[in-house]
Amino acid sequence: MIRVLLVHDTCLLRSVLAERIDREPDLEVVHTAWPGAAARARTARPDVCVADLDCSDSYGIAPLADLCEQAGRPATCRLLVLASAERPGLLRRAAEAQASGYVDKASTPDQLIRAIREVTAGKRFVDETLGFGFLKAAEMPLTQRELSVLSLAARGASIAEIALSLHLSRGTVRNYMAAITRKTGARNRVDAIRISQGEGWV
Amino acid sequence: MIRVLLVHDTCLLRSVLAERIDREPDLEVVHTAWPGAAARARTARPDVCVADLDCSDSYGIAPLADLCEQAGRPATCRLLVLASAERPGLLRRAAEAQASGYVDKASTPDQLIRAIREVTAGKRFVDETLGFGFLKAAEMPLTQRELSVLSLAARGASIAEIALSLHLSRGTVRNYMAAITRKTGARNRVDAIRISQGEGWV
C-alpha cells in the first residue's frame, strides 16, 4: 500500500479528491489543511505528500519546509505538488524544496494517480503543460533582497517599516522598490505587488 | 433528473467533485471553468448552477451576473454558491445575485448534495457555519464610490488614472483613499488593498 498525505486548504474539494485517490486498490490517503499539515505528516508517515501550494493563510505562503521535515523527506517520503504554469513562483518554491512530482491543476485525476505511483517508485514526474511555467520560474527577475523588500511591502509595511526591518536606509528601500517596479513591468508599487503575487513570487 | 452546472476554475478538483455529484442517482452534472461558464449555462439549461465564487481570472471577480442571465435564473434555474465565512465580500455578491444556496467550502460533499436537492425543490439552504460571514457582509464599511476607487487602485491604477477614470479631482481620490485606509483599519494604501482583497470586497 502507498500511504498518501493530501494537503489542501479547502475541505470540500480535498475530501472528494481523497475519496477518488482512496478508490485505487494500492493507495490509501489521509488529508489535512495546511495548518496542522506538518504535525499530520509526523504521525501519518506518508510515502508521498501531495500538496497544493496555494495556501489560504493570511500571506499565502505554504510552510513547505516544515511539511517536508516532519514527513521525513527525502529519506522516506516523496513530495508531489499540484501547480499551475501561471504561478511560476510556486513552481520555483517546489523545486527548491526538491519536489519529485509536479502535476498541473488543469490536469485530470487519472494523471495525478499516475504521478503518485511514479514518484513513489523513485521516478520524477513533470506534467508537460507546466513547461512554460518552469521557463518563467527560471527567468525570475528579482534578487533575494528585492524579494524580501517586496514581501514586506505586500504585507502592508511602509517604506520606514521595511527600512527598519531589513536594516536599510529609507532611500535604499525606495531604490529597491523602483527597481522592482521596473523589472516586473509594473506601473507603480501597488501594480508591482499585484503582478508579483499573481505569479507567486511573494 | 436534476441537471447541475458546476463552475470552478481548477480542472483537477472540479472533475472529482463532478464525479462525486454524478454518482447520485438523481443528479447529472456538466462542469466548466469561469471563462465560458455563461455560454455553457445557455446550452446546458441546468436546474441549478453550483458556483465557486473564487475566480482565478486576473482580477478575481467571478462574472456571476452573466452566468445567471444565461442560465435563465431565477425563472428556471437556482444558484448555489460555494463560499467561506472569511470572505464576506463574496457572500455579499452572492446575496446580491439572489443565490438560493450557500454551502461552506469547509463543509462535506454530502452537505453539498443535500443543498443541491433543497434549492432545486425551491427551498433556501444556508450552511450554519457561514453565519458570521453574513454578519460581516452586512457590516461592509465601504461606500459604493469607495469600492470603485479601491477596485481601480487594486488593479494598479495611480491616483491620476483613478481621477481620470471616475471623473474626480486627484484631491478627492486621495480623500477617498484616506477614508478607505481608516475604515478598513489598514496601515496604508497597500495594506487597505490587501485587507479588502482578502475579505473579497474588491
Side-chain angles (χ1 to χ4, degrees):
Chain A
M1 280 301 256
I2 300 174
R3 287 189 310 276
V4 178
L5 175 65
L6 174 65
V7 186
H8 188 287
D9 272 348
T10 309
C11 179
L12 180 66
L13 298 163
R14 186 176 81 224
S15 307
V16 289
L17 189 54
E19 278 179 23
R20 175 69 187 81
I21 295 170
D22 238 0
R23 284 216 302 280
E24 299 295 313
D26 57 334
L27 305 180
E28 64 181 7
V29 66
V30 289
H31 59 90
T32 171
W34 273 106
R40 196 65 184 269
R42 193 171 55 240
T43 55
R45 309 305 305 168
D47 300 303
V48 54
C49 289
V50 174
D52 186 327
L53 296 190
D54 280 312
C55 175
S56 64
D57 92 338
S58 48
Y59 299 134
I61 304 284
L64 199 51
D66 274 9
L67 175 68
C68 291
E69 192 187 331
Q70 295 299 334
R73 209 191 55 82
T76 60
C77 177
R78 308 282 165 177
L79 174 63
L80 187 161
V81 296
L82 306 181
S84 92
E86 286 78 47
R87 305 205 72 196
L90 299 186
L91 278 177
R92 191 182 175 96
R93 240 170 259 149
E96 283 167 0
Q98 296 179 284
S100 335
Y102 303 79
V103 172
D104 193 334
K105 289 205 267 187
S107 189
T108 63
D110 287 347
Q111 183 83 332
L112 170 61
I113 283 158
R114 185 156 55 240
I116 291 172
R117 294 196 180 107
E118 298 240 327
V119 301
T120 313
K123 295 180 199 155
R124 281 170 66 91
F125 184 97
V126 181
D127 242 331
E128 57 186 19
T129 48
L130 293 173
F132 184 63
F134 280 105
L135 186 65
K136 281 174 77 185
E139 290 170 344
M140 208 274 284
L142 305 177
T143 66
Q144 205 53 52
R145 189 52 125 175
E146 288 164 347
L147 281 178
S148 306
V149 169
L150 189 62
S151 297
L152 291 170
R155 284 150 189 62
S158 65
I159 295 286
E161 287 167 336
I162 297 170
L164 196 69
S165 169
L166 298 179
H167 308 289
L168 299 169
S169 76
R170 295 181 189 197
T172 305
V173 173
R174 274 196 202 89
N175 288 345
Y176 277 127
M177 284 306 310
I180 291 164
T181 302
R182 185 174 40 77
K183 286 179 171 184
T184 54
R187 289 175 288 171
N188 53 52
R189 199 179 298 173
V190 173
D191 203 29
I193 291 171
R194 181 182 69 79
I195 290 169
S196 302
Q197 285 184 323
E199 303 209 331
W201 300 127
V202 291
Chain B
M1 281 300 254
I2 300 172
R3 289 189 309 276
V4 178
L5 175 65
L6 174 65
V7 185
H8 188 287
D9 272 347
T10 309
C11 180
L12 181 65
L13 299 163
R14 186 176 80 222
S15 307
V16 288
L17 189 54
E19 277 179 24
R20 175 68 187 82
I21 296 171
D22 239 359
R23 284 217 302 282
E24 300 295 314
D26 57 334
L27 306 179
E28 65 181 7
V29 65
V30 291
H31 60 89
T32 171
W34 274 107
R40 196 64 185 270
R42 194 172 53 240
T43 54
R45 309 306 306 168
D47 299 303
V48 54
C49 289
V50 175
D52 187 326
L53 296 190
D54 279 312
C55 174
S56 64
D57 91 339
S58 48
Y59 300 132
I61 305 285
L64 199 51
D66 274 10
L67 175 68
C68 291
E69 191 187 331
Q70 294 300 334
R73 208 192 56 82
T76 60
C77 177
R78 308 281 166 178
L79 173 64
L80 188 161
V81 296
L82 307 180
S84 91
E86 286 78 48
R87 306 205 71 197
L90 300 187
L91 278 178
R92 191 184 175 93
R93 240 170 261 149
E96 285 167 356
Q98 296 178 285
S100 338
Y102 304 79
V103 172
D104 194 334
K105 289 205 267 187
S107 188
T108 63
D110 287 346
Q111 183 84 333
L112 170 61
I113 284 159
R114 187 157 52 239
I116 291 172
R117 293 195 181 111
E118 297 241 328
V119 301
T120 314
K123 295 180 197 154
R124 282 166 67 93
F125 184 97
V126 182
D127 242 331
E128 57 186 20
T129 49
L130 292 174
F132 185 62
F134 280 106
L135 192 64
K136 280 175 77 185
E139 290 168 346
M140 209 274 283
L142 305 177
T143 65
Q144 205 52 51
R145 187 55 122 177
E146 287 163 349
L147 281 177
S148 305
V149 170
L150 189 62
S151 297
L152 291 169
R155 282 148 188 65
S158 66
I159 295 286
E161 287 166 335
I162 296 171
L164 197 67
S165 170
L166 299 180
H167 308 288
L168 300 169
S169 75
R170 294 183 189 196
T172 304
V173 172
R174 273 195 203 91
N175 288 345
Y176 276 127
M177 283 305 310
I180 291 164
T181 302
R182 184 173 43 75
K183 287 179 171 184
T184 55
R187 290 174 289 170
N188 54 52
R189 200 179 299 175
V190 173
D191 203 28
I193 292 170
R194 182 182 68 77
I195 290 170
S196 302
Q197 285 183 323
E199 304 210 330
W201 301 129
V202 292

